[in-house]
Every structure is written in C-alpha cells, then in structure tokens.
C-alpha cells in the first residue's frame, strides 16, 4: 500500500478511482465534500436524501459516474454526529469506507478528511490511524491456500485535505503505515501453521529483517549456547520437542552505541500442547498463536527500522515448542534458572514464564532502561479482561503510565492489573525457591508475580496478550496487537 498526503484545492478535479467523502449524521456535506456536491449538480445530497443515508459512523454509500467529477466513483463515509466522533468511531468509518472502495476493484483512492474532528484527538492522530487501517485492511492470509481469493487491487491511498501542506502530517501518515506493516508481519507469523512457523523459522525471519534494514543486527543462540549460559528453565520447556529451540537477539541501533537500550522480550512458543500437562483437544490448534508475543516484537522492530527513531532497542525472543514425549519435563521436576533461582515445575503447561524468566535474566546484560515482555501468558487474563484489553503488570508506576498512554494513543489498549506482594505467597514450593504455578485464582497476576522475581532491580512491565493477540471463530486469525502500543511507546522515548 502506497500512502501519500495530498493538499488539494479543487476536490472535484481529483482524478482517482474512488473519492471518499466524510458525511456527518443528518447527511451534511462540509468543506471539500460540499464543493464536490455542487460540482455534480447536488447529486450527492439528492442520493443521501433518497437513500435515507444516516451518516452514522461505519455507514457507507457508493455512487458512480457522477457528472462534473474527475473521480470514477464516490464513497460517502458516515462519520457520525458532528463533534461526537470518538476514536473507535473514526476507525470504524475509515475501515468501512476502505472496505467498500476495495470491493469496487479500484486501484487507488483518495480519502478526504476536511472537517473531520475526532473527540480528544488531533488531526495527526486521525491521519496516522488512517495509514494503519489502510495497510492492515489489505492484509489477507494466503500462504497455505492453493486457491486464494484474488488479492485486493487497492494499492494507493492519498489522504487529502485543504489548507497548507504539512510535512509533519506526511511523516505521521508514513508512521501509521509502518505500524500497519509491522502488525501485518506479526499477523502473518501468527497465522502461519506451526509445522512451518517453528523456532528456526522465527529466527530466519529475524535474520531476514536484519539483512533488509541496516539499523538492525541479529544474533541467534542455539541450545548448546543456552546450556552454556545456564538457561535450564528455558531448556526444560523444549525438552520434549524434536524441533530445536532458539534464542533470538535482534538489536535496533538508532542512537549512539553507548546509549542504553530499551528492551523487549517476546514469548515465542510456536506450539503449546501443554507438554505432559497436556491441554484438552478442542481449540488446541489455537496454541500455534502462542508465539504472538515474539511476532509482535518482530513487527515492532520492523516498524522502528522503517521509521528510524533516535534510540536503541534490544529484542530478545525465546522460541521453542512445548511438546510431550519421553524426554519431556515432568510435573515435579526442579530446574535451576539462569538467575540461579530454582523452580519446581508443577504444571508443564505454565511454560511461558519458564522461558521468559531466562530471557529476562539474559537481557539484563544489555543494561536496559526498561524491559517490556510480551506474552500470550495466561487463559486467566482472557477471563479477566476478555478480548479487548491487554493485561498490563509493572513494578514501575511511571513505566505503566507510559504504556497505558501509548495503548490509548494507538487505540491498542491495555488495562493495569495488580502486582501486589500479597499474591507472591501462592508461588511457595517445598522443594524449590519458587513454584511455576499458584492456586486456582488470580492466575494472570500470579504468572506476572513469577516473572517479577526475575526482573528485580529493573524497570519492568509485562503485557499479557492472551486475549488480544488473535481473534477466534469465523474470523480466526492473529490481530497484530500490541505492535501499535509498542511502537507508540518507543517512538515517544526518542
Ligand atoms: N499459552 C497458554 C496461555 C493461553 C491459554 C493463552 C489460552 C490463550 C488462551 C499458557 O502457556 C498456559 O497454558 N497457561 C496456563 C497456565 C496454568 C497452567 C497455570 C493456563 O492459562 O491455563
Ligand atoms: Mn501453556
Ligand atoms: Zn503457552
């Protein structure tokens, strides 16, 4: 998708396959849209009246071959009551208008934003969102389909406005596009079946990114190297698998070498069967999405490489499978983590924390300014927050506030959960320093408490994306979250 920002004088003269015009509730056409309406002899307002077009956010109407216009078609895009359009409403409006444009088979479209106001958001925000939605809206999974639907032809979108040209807005639109492409990368990796998307495949993707972007560097550790580092906790998870595990280190350098990096740590379990604590059969295929934390880290790193902020970021991805076999870890086994803390594994299905704890310990050697881990960690988080909010846990209030704000900004929202000491006692073990599970309640908090023991002395946050990383049902597929949140957080640090 090619995105551009256009400053226009006469919208009626815009030569495009599809001109998208905002219409407020009650059918009012403003600014450039009113100019277009007059140029075609008020055909648009007549159509709006004849079709009882409400102009509610998400409603659209298509018109062809209007006299007096250079555009081949017009899509009327409802944007709701004047002054009442909120962030979600704008996303709905743009998505619907672009979907209708795409369905016409047009190759290019122009989205006019004159007069659109989103509550509590600036023009830059709505431009960035349009960029992201244009890119994510054109994603289709086709990799393993022998007869995929033909690809959408819409490949060029111009965001158009009257007034002065703005360099800032053009950059913001490009940033929105980069976020969208980062999300699409995360979605593609998440959707790719687990017999293809293995730990080695993830490592190859990271290497490919480093080859493509000069500011990225990649190093991949194999099991032997992890063993030498004492990552027995991580290795205990891969013990039952045939596929070898990988620890992927991807660095983005946008600032001076001596500047401390921000750290991202991703859970990359390419298939989580539960191990000896085997999961029930129904829906087990969805555990291919258990690497979506890792995928979001790769998508974020790509977006950074494309936008080039002046900061350093180090990403560590712990990638492995969790499988049952004769060599698999048993419930009751005790392993020593890289940090020296011994862990009694009471449930082999609580494996995410076992790989993340060693990855967090490892990333400390980069002296990071903050550490954010991203993981499809607990079913309990889905119970607590559903599919809308990512669970946020942190030992640092300022970091938590920044991540929450970044999530609001990207409309990729997180909700803070407690990380109180009161919960820590549930992790007591008679046979090791810590157990890998607590009781039946508060599962997402207890998982975060487990991780917190390995993040001592660091400004650390944990994002539980178990509910937000993929959609279920007929639209089953990875969402690309929380790439938007992460990119907005990191760009705000530059
Ligand atoms: N990957 C799962 C978490 C998960 C489950 C995410 C369902 C999304 C949907 C994780 O490894 C896991 O199995 N967690 C267990 C922890 C339990 C054994 C304490 C869970 O949530 O059931
Ligand atoms: Mn599990
Ligand atoms: Zn898992």
């Amino acid at each position: 998708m090619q995105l551009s920002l256009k400053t226009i004088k006469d919208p009626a003269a815009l030569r495009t396959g599809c001109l998208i015009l905002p219409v407020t509730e009650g059918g009012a056409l403003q600014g450039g849209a009113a100019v277009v309406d007059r140029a075609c002899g008020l055909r648009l307002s007549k159509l709006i009246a004849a079709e009882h077009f409400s102009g509610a956010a998400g409603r659209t109407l298509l018109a062809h071959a209007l006299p007096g216009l250079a555009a081949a078609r017009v899509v009327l895009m409802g944007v709701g009551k004047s002054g009442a359009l909120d962030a979600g409403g704008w996303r709905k409006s743009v998505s619907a208008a672009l979907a209708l444009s795409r369905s016409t088979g047009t190759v290019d479209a122009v989205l006019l934003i004159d007069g659109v106001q989103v509550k509590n958001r600036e023009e830059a925000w709505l431009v960035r969102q349009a960029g992201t939605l244009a890119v994510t809206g054109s994603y289709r999974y086709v990799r393993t389909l022998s007869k995929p639907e033909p690809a959408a032809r819409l490949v060029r979108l111009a965001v158009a406005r009257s007034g002065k040209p703005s360099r800032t807005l053009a950059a913001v639109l490009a940033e929105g596009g980069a976020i969208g492409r980062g999300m699409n990368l995360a979605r593609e990796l998440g959707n790719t079946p687990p017999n293809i998307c293995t730990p080695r495949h993830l490592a190859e993707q990271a290497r490919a990114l480093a080859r493509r972007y000069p500011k990225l560097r990649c190093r991949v550790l194999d099991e032997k190297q992890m063993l030498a580092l004492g990552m027995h906790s991580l290795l205990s998870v891969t013990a039952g698998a045939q596929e070898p595990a990988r620890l992927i280190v991807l660095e983005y350098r946008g600032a001076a070498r001596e500047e401390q990096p921000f750290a991202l740590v991703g859970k990359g379990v390419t298939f989580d069967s539960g191990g000896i604590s085997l999961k029930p059969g129904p829906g087990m295929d969805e555990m291919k999405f258990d690497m979506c934390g890792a995928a979001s880290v790769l998508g974020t790193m790509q977006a950074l490489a494309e936008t080039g902020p002046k900061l350093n970021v180090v990403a560590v991805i712990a990638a492995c499978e969790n499988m049952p076999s004769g060599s698999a870890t048993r419930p009751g086994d005790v392993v020593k983590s890289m940090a020296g803390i011994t862990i009694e594994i009471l449930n082999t299905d609580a494996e995410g924390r076992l790989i993340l704890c060693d990855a967090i310990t490892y990333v400390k050697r980069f002296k990071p300014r903050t550490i954010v881990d991203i993981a499809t960690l607990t079913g309990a988080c889905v119970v607590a927050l559903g599919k809308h909010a990512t669970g946020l846990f942190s030992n640092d209030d300022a970091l938590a506030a920044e991540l929450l704000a970044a999530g609001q900004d990207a409309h990729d929202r997180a909700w803070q959960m407690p990380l109180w000491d009161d919960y820590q006692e549930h992790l007591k073990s008679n046979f090791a320093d810590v157990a890998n599970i607590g009781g039946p309640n508060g599962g997402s908090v207890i998982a975060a408490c487990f991780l917190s023991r390995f993040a001592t002395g660091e400004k650390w946050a944990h994002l539980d994306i178990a509910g937000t990383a993929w959609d279920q049902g007929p639209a089953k597929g990875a969402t690309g979250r929380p790439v938007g949140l992460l990119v907005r957080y990191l760009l705000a640090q530059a």
Side-chain angles (χ1 to χ4, degrees), residues 397-433:
D397 289 340
L399 174 58
E402 286 185 78
L403 289 167
L404 288 171
Q408 284 290 345
D409 194 22
H411 205 71
D412 178 5
R413 292 168 294 179
W415 192 257
Q416 192 171 3
M417 305 271 281
L419 192 72
W420 301 331
D421 279 343
D422 311 53
Y423 292 91
Q424 291 280 358
E425 65 188 60
H426 297 286
L427 290 168
K428 244 183 87 51
S429 159
N430 288 348
F431 306 106
D433 302 336

Side-chain angles (χ1 to χ4, degrees), residues 91 128-129 132 136 175-176 178-184 186 296-297 299-300 303-304 402-403 405-413 463 479-492:
R91 288 168 54 90
R128 189 188 300 110
Q129 284 289 330
T132 301
T136 55
E175 185 197 311
I179 290 171
R181 284 185 293 278
M183 292 174 70
N184 286 352
S296 75
V297 168
T300 299
L304 291 178
E402 286 185 78
L403 289 167
Q408 284 290 345
D409 194 22
H411 205 71
D412 178 5
R413 292 168 294 179
L463 295 171
T479 60
R481 293 179 67 181
V483 170
L485 180 159
L486 293 170
V487 174
R488 289 304 292 155
Y489 165 67
L490 290 168
L491 292 184

Side-chain angles (χ1 to χ4, degrees), residues 18 20 34 152 177 199 299 420 460:
C18 186
I20 302 170
W420 301 331
W460 159 82

Side-chain angles (χ1 to χ4, degrees), residues 267 272 274 279 287 290 322 348-352 377:
K267 172 178 174 182
D272 180 12
K279 286 183 180 296
M287 282 299 117
D290 212 16
N322 185 20
T348 64
D349 197 12
E351 85 297 340
L377 204 63

Side-chain angles (χ1 to χ4, degrees), residues 50-227:
E51 296 287 328
H52 305 289
F53 181 67
S54 74
R59 303 301 293 271
T60 53
L61 201 57
L62 181 64
H64 290 272
L66 296 167
L69 303 189
R73 328 171 168 73
V74 168
V75 163
L76 297 174
M77 167 179 71
V79 291
K81 277 206 187 68
S82 175
L85 184 65
D86 62 10
W90 174 241
R91 288 168 54 90
K92 216 161 114 184
S93 302
V94 172
S95 301
L98 289 176
L100 182 55
S101 308
R102 221 175 274 117
S103 75
T104 67
T106 182
V107 180
D108 78 312
V110 175
L111 171 67
L112 186 73
I113 59 167
D114 276 359
V116 179
Q117 269 174 19
V118 182
K119 267 198 289 182
N120 305 320
R121 309 277 176 161
E122 304 194 327
E123 192 180 23
W125 183 87
L126 68 93
V127 169
R128 189 188 300 110
Q129 284 289 330
T132 301
L133 292 168
V135 172
T136 55
S138 56
Y139 170 81
R140 296 281 176 282
Y141 177 81
V142 296
R143 185 164 192 162
T144 45
L145 305 178
S146 47
K147 293 189 197 70
E149 278 174 39
R153 294 172 62 205
L154 180 61
V155 292
R156 282 196 308 275
L157 177 72
V159 175
R161 56 198 274 285
S162 329
K164 284 205 202 91
S166 164
R167 286 253 202 125
T168 330
L169 278 186
V172 158
L173 180 63
E175 185 197 311
I179 290 171
R181 284 185 293 278
M183 292 174 70
N184 286 352
L185 171 62
R187 292 161 80 190
E188 179 69 6
L189 291 172
N191 291 337
T192 299
N195 56 329
I196 300 173
C197 186
T198 60
R200 284 181 291 177
H201 180 78
L202 285 179
E204 192 37 55
Q205 296 303 303
R207 282 207 191 88
L209 285 177
R211 280 195 297 272
R212 189 162 351 127
Y213 300 101
K215 285 183 178 159
L216 293 180
R217 291 195 326 184
C218 180
R219 193 169 159 229
V220 178
L221 276 60
D222 62 16
E223 290 180 7
K224 219 172 120 203
Q225 292 166 301
M226 290 187 251
L227 190 63

